[in-house]
Amino acid sequence: MNFDIAIIGGGPAGYTAAERAGANGLKAVLFEKKAIGGVCLNEGCIPTKTLLYSAKILDSVKAASKYGVSAESPSFDLSKIMSRKDKTVKMLTGGVKMTVNSYGVTIVEKEAFIEGEKDGQIHISCSGETYFVKYLLVCTGSDTVIPPIPGLSETAYWTSKEALEVKQLPKTLVIIGGGVIGMEFASFFNSMGVKVHVVEMMAEILGVMDKETSGMLRSEYTKRGVTFYLNTKVVEVNPHGVVIEKDGKTSTIEAEQLLLSVGRKANLSGVGLDKLNIELLRNGVKVDEHLLTSHPRVYACGDITGYSLLAHTAIREAEVAINHILGVEDRMNYECVPGVVYTNPEVAGVGKTEEELIKQGIPYRVSKLPMAYSGRFVAENEQGNGLCKLIQDEKGKIIGCHMLGNPVSELIVIAGIAIQKGYTVEEFQKTVFPHPTVGEIYHEIMF
């Protein structure tokens, strides 16, 4: 039971680290108490996007007449949509497990605990066995935040997990929380014909994302029948609905179903971090640019750091951590990590927002264009709305990009590369984009 490295948690950070470690000759053991792939593959990113794609196809069929195509009385089969989601998850989780195994990694599908350290080895216990390792990577992820709302314990509600397993659609749904997860579920259930209400404490949906594109998305979904309650606090829930307060006045939103979506928190308890005196910071484990904790041979990646709770962030963090163990120069750069909301239309952003720069007192310049400046966008988005915004600093370097429209989830990485490489707008515009593509919008923006 001696290993070079142990990895606790088999989500995107954990399985990426295991693959990289095994591929580079490290004897690795990966512990996962639930299912390989973590929340992302099993209860988050992948199943959600599978449902959203079915909803997007339904939206497209409903709008077919705009494109000269006849599609009368479009309908859907919820059980088949859910079955396809389950099949997709099963295929991908099986593929991840097979890949990890192919690198000689030992997979233990049971809960593991840190027991301490002795003679230069970290001790991990799991199901009565003790594992001795030189390096440890903690990737235990995050849990859904359940807010202390009066009446919640006596009222049936969904989290994202239950919403992904729905067998029958409610007629009305109240979503508490208008962040990324809340808006993606609002998008899905709205497309399925459910009357959706979104309650958000902040002045705008989508948290720290660019306010202009967030507002445009909210306006689009307001037209589709979603009701938004901004700057609004939930003061109570009961079997009849949700009691809200705004500007000192209370009212009740009647709803058949309630969905909690107020965020996630790092899973710090139960793993035994205290046994190694691992230092914490705010809501997660404190790490440096190599993802190294306060212990010289313990790393932490993914949601447990409480910093950027995104699967693609976790994957990159795992790569950096393993490279550091191997002596390969690499550092984590959060300035070019994109964020995407997979609604229809999509929203995406990378780098600095205007709100962030104003708060910090940093001078900047903005240039933006409607996505309709792209011929391909117009051809494929009949009367569709969209925006592309580039932000540069005083030296002309691109430091932010924010977009609304399809398929900005695929385009935002281009701006991310520009930020990572320190491109100026002039350098960026020397890139030749194929015509016609939606990505040409980057070339059209002039400061």
Side-chain angles (χ1 to χ4, degrees):
M1 294 299 184
N2 288 282
F3 291 86
D4 296 318
I5 183 171
I7 301 151
I8 301 179
Y15 69 70
T16 299
E19 292 171 7
R20 291 298 180 106
N24 285 279
L26 296 177
K27 186 180 180 184
V29 56
L30 173 64
F31 300 98
E32 171 52 56
K33 67 179 180 180
K34 291 183 179 179
I36 296 295
V39 170
C40 177
L41 253 62
N42 294 280
E43 302 172 7
C45 316
I46 298 302
T48 304
K49 277 53 182 181
T50 306
L51 296 185
L52 285 169
Y53 190 70
S54 292
K56 187 175 181 180
I57 290 178
L58 179 62
D59 290 342
S60 298
V61 173
K62 289 178 180 179
S65 61
K66 294 181 180 180
Y67 300 87
V69 178
S70 177
E72 297 182 2
S73 302
S75 62
F76 63 91
D77 185 326
L78 183 63
S79 64
K80 289 184 178 180
I81 290 174
M82 291 296 169
S83 177
R84 178 177 177 269
K85 178 260 298 180
D86 293 338
K87 182 177 70 174
T88 301
V89 169
K90 185 177 181 180
M91 179 182 71
L92 292 175
T93 53
V96 167
K97 190 173 182 179
M98 183 173 65
T99 302
V100 173
N101 272 322
S102 72
Y103 289 112
V105 176
T106 299
I107 299 176
V108 181
E109 297 187 69
K110 295 177 182 178
E111 190 169 12
F113 305 90
I114 302 168
E115 290 294 337
E117 181 180 20
K118 186 177 180 181
D119 299 328
Q121 288 187 310
I122 298 168
H123 296 193
I124 309 293
S125 68
C126 179
S127 192
E129 299 283 353
T130 301
Y131 297 76
F132 305 97
V133 303
K134 183 177 181 181
Y135 296 101
L136 172 62
L137 192 64
V138 185
C139 311
T140 51
S142 62
D143 295 317
T144 300
V145 172
I146 306 298
I149 301 173
L152 191 61
S153 59
E154 294 84 37
T155 306
Y157 63 87
W158 289 345
T159 65
S160 58
K161 184 178 186 297
E162 290 78 26
L164 288 168
E165 298 170 352
V166 61
K167 292 180 172 58
Q168 184 175 349
L169 294 172
K171 293 181 179 178
T172 55
L173 173 68
V174 174
I175 301 176
I176 299 178
V180 174
I181 297 173
M183 279 307 302
E184 289 185 350
F185 277 112
S187 175
F188 173 73
F189 285 107
N190 173 256
S191 294
M192 295 294 107
V194 176
K195 173 56 184 175
V196 177
H197 303 264
V198 177
V199 183
E200 172 55 52
M201 287 188 67
M202 305 292 286
E204 188 55 271
I205 60 171
L206 300 183
V208 298
M209 295 192 76
D210 173 73
K211 298 308 177 197
E212 184 173 12
T213 50
S214 297
M216 291 174 68
L217 181 73
R218 176 174 50 80
S219 296
E220 177 64 29
Y221 273 92
T222 298
K223 294 175 185 176
R224 300 184 190 184
V226 176
T227 303
F228 292 90
Y229 306 81
L230 303 179
N231 290 313
T232 301
K233 179 182 179 181
V234 175
V235 295
E236 181 189 347
V237 298
N238 56 55
H240 304 291
V242 178
V243 181
I244 59 174
E245 179 183 328
K246 181 176 181 179
D247 299 329
K249 299 178 181 180
T250 61
S251 59
T252 300
I253 308 171
E254 295 184 0
E256 184 179 330
Q257 187 61 55
L258 171 65
L259 169 60
L260 290 180
S261 181
V262 297
R264 300 185 65 83
K265 60 180 179 180
N267 186 2
L268 301 169
S269 62
V271 69
L273 294 170
D274 57 310
K275 298 293 180 66
L276 297 176
N277 297 315
I278 302 298
E279 185 179 352
L280 305 181
L281 178 65
R282 294 188 295 273
N283 301 314
V285 174
K286 182 180 180 181
V287 294
D288 66 11
E289 60 191 347
H290 305 294
L291 284 304
L292 187 63
T293 69
S294 55
H295 189 288
R297 289 180 286 109
V298 179
Y299 297 77
C301 300
D303 291 2
I304 193 173
T305 68
Y307 187 74
S308 177
L309 279 64
L310 299 168
H312 46 280
T313 302
I315 289 170
R316 177 63 186 134
E317 288 175 337
E319 293 170 349
V320 171
I322 295 300
N323 279 340
H324 193 248
I325 290 172
L326 295 170
V328 177
E329 176 58 32
D330 200 359
R331 299 169 190 273
M332 189 63 198
N333 178 6
Y334 293 100
E335 293 298 322
C336 51
V337 175
V340 179
V341 190
Y342 293 86
T343 46
N344 185 22
E346 298 171 343
V347 175
V350 64
K352 301 291 186 182
T353 64
E354 288 192 75
E355 294 75 25
E356 185 180 0
L357 292 166
I358 291 170
K359 185 177 181 180
Q360 295 174 356
I362 299 174
Y364 67 93
R365 293 174 62 192
V366 171
S367 184
K368 53 191 176 184
L369 280 178
M371 295 293 277
Y373 272 73
S374 160
R376 175 78 177 271
F377 183 85
V378 174
E380 297 183 357
N381 294 270
E382 179 67 24
Q383 299 177 346
N385 198 3
L387 180 72
C388 180
K389 175 195 294 188
L390 280 178
I391 303 175
Q392 68 170 333
D393 65 13
E394 288 185 298
K395 297 180 180 179
K397 287 187 177 181
I398 297 171
I399 56 174
C401 178
H402 307 280
M403 309 178 79
L404 169 75
N406 294 330
V408 298
S409 60
E410 301 291 344
L411 298 178
I412 197 65
V413 68
I414 300 172
I417 293 171
I419 294 171
Q420 182 181 12
K421 299 296 184 182
Y423 289 163
T424 63
V425 172
E426 182 180 1
E427 290 170 330
F428 192 36
Q429 290 180 330
K430 289 179 180 178
T431 303
V432 178
F433 291 88
H435 176 78
T437 57
V438 181
E440 286 179 291
I441 193 71
Y442 286 125
H443 190 266
E444 296 298 319
I445 292 183
M446 300 294 290
F447 281 89

